[in-house]
Amino acid sequence: MLELHVCNRNGAVLRAFALGDTTEVIVGRDESCDVRIEAPTVSREHCLIEQQAAGSTLRDLDSSGGTYVGSQRIDSVPITNGLEVRVGPAVLRFVETAL
């Protein structure tokens, strides 16, 4: 099962979410988001996690601050075990866990 760990820049896990069979997860600062990051550098709806049978993808939703893998701003990236994506002050880490 795929888990999303929301971490600070030092790598400490602040929250963890089991993504399970959810097909879409919206990350942003708005109260309606599935994963909420309260920071002014995070857009109301910042990025989207899409899970499909063919694989999972993280897609930027035209955020003003951008979504980064390393130092590269991305529009979309396939989600793999261990992927780390920077959204504002947070790092989203994807971890494949055993049931």
Side-chain angles (χ1 to χ4, degrees), residues 32-99:
S32 66
C33 290
D34 303 301
V35 176
R36 191 163 178 225
I37 301 171
E38 294 182 57
T41 55
V42 176
S43 293
R44 283 183 289 243
E45 290 188 347
H46 198 99
C47 59
L48 173 69
I49 300 164
E50 297 176 298
Q51 294 193 102
Q52 300 173 344
S56 300
T57 304
L58 183 135
R59 185 167 45 92
D60 184 78
L61 296 175
D62 296 321
S63 64
S64 57
T67 301
Y68 292 84
V69 174
S71 61
Q72 183 174 1
R73 187 172 181 157
I74 57 101
D75 292 322
S76 170
V77 64
I79 296 173
T80 57
N81 186 37
L83 174 69
E84 292 188 349
V85 178
R86 188 167 40 90
V87 173
V91 174
L92 307 181
R93 181 183 304 137
F94 294 89
V95 180
E96 192 69 44
T97 61
L99 292 178

